[in-house]
Amino acid sequence: PKRGASRSGCMKSHFFDYTNVASIIDKLEPSLIMEIGIGFGENFLNLISYMNKKSSKYNLISLSDSPHCMIPVIPLPLRDRVTYISGVSYDRLNEFPNIVGLSDIFKSKIDLCIIDSDHNYYTMKKELDALLPNLSEKCCILFHDTNTPELAQNHGVTFRNVNSISN
């Protein structure tokens, strides 16, 4: 975040301005969004807030090894459209959609996936390998903090700026 800016203000800027997740949701019209890595929950809260928009009909899965489950902050009318899966991302993704206790509304293909987990090549590779069979044909994957010098130098991995592909 910019000096003096709060972390939540930074995530709100990403949601509505820089990465413009809101615009991607509007254009993609996803049925199922999966967020991998909850961190402090700012993006999760942005996704929940955006669910209140009349045209947003998506369901949300938040997957994280964080002990802080954000479900209690979800407004009651939205609780049937959101679920939290706890555990190591790539292990849980290998079980998806057959996770015990997962409601049928969350067992469809993933239309939008937001990955903000361990920020390293090895975890990301395992997550992507586990995700691929569960992605819809129209799926869009957004990565956070991935275009790093370490990835480019050691693995030859670079990503296009989402602003260049979201318009």
Side-chain angles (χ1 to χ4, degrees):
K2 292 181 182 175
R3 189 177 186 162
S6 72
R7 182 172 163 85
S8 61
C10 178
M11 291 305 285
K12 191 169 187 173
S13 292
H14 279 296
F15 197 85
F16 292 103
D17 299 322
Y18 305 122
T19 307
N20 205 346
V21 176
S23 176
I24 292 169
I25 290 171
D26 290 344
K27 290 177 184 178
L28 190 63
E29 298 179 344
S31 296
L32 182 61
I33 297 176
M34 179 178 280
E35 174 193 34
I36 302 174
I38 197 167
F40 294 106
E42 298 96 334
N43 194 58
F44 177 81
L45 294 174
N46 285 327
L47 289 164
I48 294 300
S49 297
Y50 208 66
M51 284 179 124
N52 282 323
K53 186 178 173 191
K54 289 183 181 178
S55 62
S56 295
K57 299 187 181 352
Y58 58 87
N59 296 313
L60 173 64
I61 296 174
S62 185
L63 189 161
S64 179
D65 61 356
S66 172
H68 306 291
C69 174
M70 300 294 289
I71 298 296
V73 301
I74 301 170
L76 196 55
L78 298 177
R79 286 195 185 171
D80 61 336
R81 295 175 49 201
V82 179
T83 195
Y84 178 77
I85 300 172
S86 180
V88 176
S89 58
Y90 46 83
D91 289 338
R92 298 307 300 224
L93 288 167
N94 279 319
E95 299 170 16
F96 185 80
N98 300 314
I99 295 173
V100 174
L102 188 65
S103 172
D104 286 344
I105 67 166
F106 300 106
K107 292 185 178 184
S108 62
K109 296 285 186 178
I110 299 163
D111 295 317
L112 176 60
C113 186
I114 302 168
I115 301 178
D116 187 9
S117 57
D118 202 15
H119 301 117
N120 71 66
Y121 174 84
Y122 303 101
T123 299
M124 187 186 313
K125 172 126 176 50
K126 287 181 177 183
E127 288 170 344
L128 290 173
D129 287 344
L131 269 171
L132 283 176
N134 299 300
L135 302 177
S136 74
E137 290 194 20
K138 70 176 185 178
C139 185
C140 177
I141 301 175
L142 302 177
F143 300 90
H144 186 258
D145 294 337
T146 53
N147 202 10
T148 64
E150 185 270 334
L151 284 174
Q153 182 178 9
N154 297 338
H155 305 288
V157 176
T158 57
F159 296 92
R160 288 178 41 197
N161 182 323
V162 74
N163 290 326
S164 68
I165 61 173
S166 66
N167 295 327

